[in-house]
Amino acid sequence: MTTPHPNHDRGLEFDLSTLLSRRRSLGILFGAGTAAALAACTPNAGGSAASPSSAGGSTVAATASTAAAASPSPSPTSTVTRAFAECGVEIPEETLGPYPADGSNGPNVLEASGVVRRDIRSSFGASTTKAEGVPLTVTLTLLDNSNGCAPLAGAAVYVWHCDQDGKYSLYDSGLENENYLRGVQEADANGQLTFSTVYPGAYNGRWPHIHFEVFESMSNTTAAGQVLAVSQIALTESACEEVYASPGYESSARNFPKTTLTSDNVFGDDGGIYQLATMSGSVAGGYTAALNVTV
C-alpha cells in the first residue's frame, strides 16, 4: 500500500521561504514583444492546429540559445481562442511540495541534459526506465493577465508528478536514480505547450494532481527570482475513477476515495475551480487534459 509522503504538500506555508525568494516579475515581461503576442490572439480562418515545442537532448539554458530561430507562428486553435476569451483570473499559487527537483530542495533536474522534451515518460541520461501507466497528454495555454491576456509566447513550463504508484522520481526509495515524469517545454506563439506522460496515481492525503512552474523564458529556468507561477493541475473525478479501476493502479484505487477536492489541503479552499483540467478520453485510448494558466 502506498504510504503518505512525509510533510507532502502541506500548503504554501510549508515552503514559503522558497516561494518568497522566487516571486513573479511580470512587470518586465516581454516588453516590445507585446504587439506580436497580441496579434496571435486573432483566430485564423483556416483553424490549423498549434504545434507545441518538442526540443530535447539539451539543457534548458543551451536550448534557449536557439529560440530566435523558431519556425513560423502557428495559428490559434478553437481551444486557444476560447482560452483568450475566458482569461481574467490568475492561477492560484500553490506549494512546490517536497519533491520538485528544481534545486530548491535537493536535486536540480533543470540543469540536466535532456530535460527539455515533450515526452516525459522515460528517464533520461544514465537511465532509460519508462514509467508505466495509462497515457495522458497534458496541454497548457499560458496567458498574461497584466497584458490583456496576451499569450505568453516563449515562456517555459517545468512539469512533474508522481508515477502510478504515487511515488516521485529522484526522491522515493528505489527511484533516486530515475528522473522520469519530469520535463520542460517552451510555449509557442499561442502560449501553448504539450507534454506526453502517464496518468498519475493517488496517494494518501492528496487529490490526484500535476505540479508545474512557469518561468519567464527557457534561459531563466535555473535563475532565482524568475518564476511567474507555481501551481498544480487537478484531475477530474470521473477520469480518476476510470483509470484507477484499471490494472496497475491498485494502490490508487484504495487511496483515491479517502480524499475529496474539497478536503484536499491544496485545492480545498475553492474546490480547484481554476485548476481543474478539462479532460476527455478512455483507459484504452489514453486521456487528454487541458488547462488555461493565467499569470
Side-chain angles (χ1 to χ4, degrees):
M1 171 179 288
T2 305
T3 57
H5 290 289
N7 296 325
H8 189 83
D9 294 2
R10 287 167 47 187
L12 194 58
E13 201 169 83
F14 180 73
D15 54 5
L16 187 59
S17 60
T18 298
L19 291 177
L20 285 176
S21 67
R22 306 174 68 190
R23 294 298 292 173
R24 66 184 62 183
S25 51
L26 285 173
I28 62 174
L29 182 64
F30 293 132
T34 299
L38 285 172
C41 293
T42 305
N44 181 281
S48 57
S51 301
S53 170
S54 57
S58 61
T59 62
V60 173
T63 302
S65 66
T66 64
S71 57
S73 300
S75 300
T77 62
S78 58
T79 300
V80 174
T81 303
R82 185 171 65 252
F84 298 154
E86 295 173 354
C87 178
V89 179
E90 293 190 3
I91 194 79
E93 287 279 345
E94 304 293 5
T95 176
L96 281 166
Y99 309 120
D102 65 351
S104 64
N105 179 20
N108 190 352
V109 74
L110 297 178
E111 294 182 343
S113 177
V115 71
V116 181
R117 60 205 185 125
R118 171 171 173 155
D119 192 334
I120 65 174
R121 291 174 293 181
S122 298
S123 288
F124 58 92
S127 173
T128 57
T129 301
K130 185 175 182 179
E132 299 297 327
V134 173
L136 174 66
T137 300
V138 179
T139 298
L140 301 179
T141 302
L142 310 181
L143 303 170
D144 184 357
N145 197 44
S146 69
N147 188 28
C149 290
L152 285 174
V157 171
Y158 167 44
V159 158
W160 72 98
H161 64 82
C162 69
D163 62 18
Q164 65 177 357
D165 295 318
K167 297 180 178 181
Y168 285 84
S169 66
L170 291 171
Y171 290 92
D172 273 299
S173 178
L175 300 180
E176 296 91 341
N177 297 319
E178 303 293 347
N179 52 26
Y180 55 55
L181 307 182
R182 300 177 183 274
V184 174
Q185 279 282 281
E186 182 180 35
D188 65 17
N190 297 313
Q192 208 167 43
L193 46 86
T194 297
F195 291 93
S196 297
T197 186
V198 297
Y199 207 98
Y203 51 85
N204 288 331
R206 282 305 316 276
W207 183 265
H209 61 282
I210 297 172
H211 293 266
F212 67 92
E213 289 183 274
V214 181
F215 296 85
E216 283 187 337
S217 67
M218 294 285 276
S219 60
N220 286 333
T221 55
T222 57
Q226 303 303 318
V227 178
L228 300 182
V230 178
S231 198
Q232 299 178 27
I233 304 169
L235 304 179
T236 63
E237 181 175 10
S238 59
C240 289
E241 289 176 342
E242 292 169 1
V243 171
Y244 298 156
S246 65
Y249 287 92
E250 288 78 11
S251 63
S252 295
R254 295 190 295 269
N255 294 326
F256 180 60
K258 300 176 183 178
T259 305
T260 65
L261 262 175
T262 54
S263 68
D264 183 77
N265 59 16
V266 170
F267 303 125
D269 55 348
D270 60 5
I273 185 172
Y274 300 115
Q275 295 154 281
L276 191 63
T278 298
M279 301 191 65
S280 63
S282 66
V283 171
Y287 284 83
T288 62
L291 184 69
N292 302 334
V293 179
T294 304
V295 298

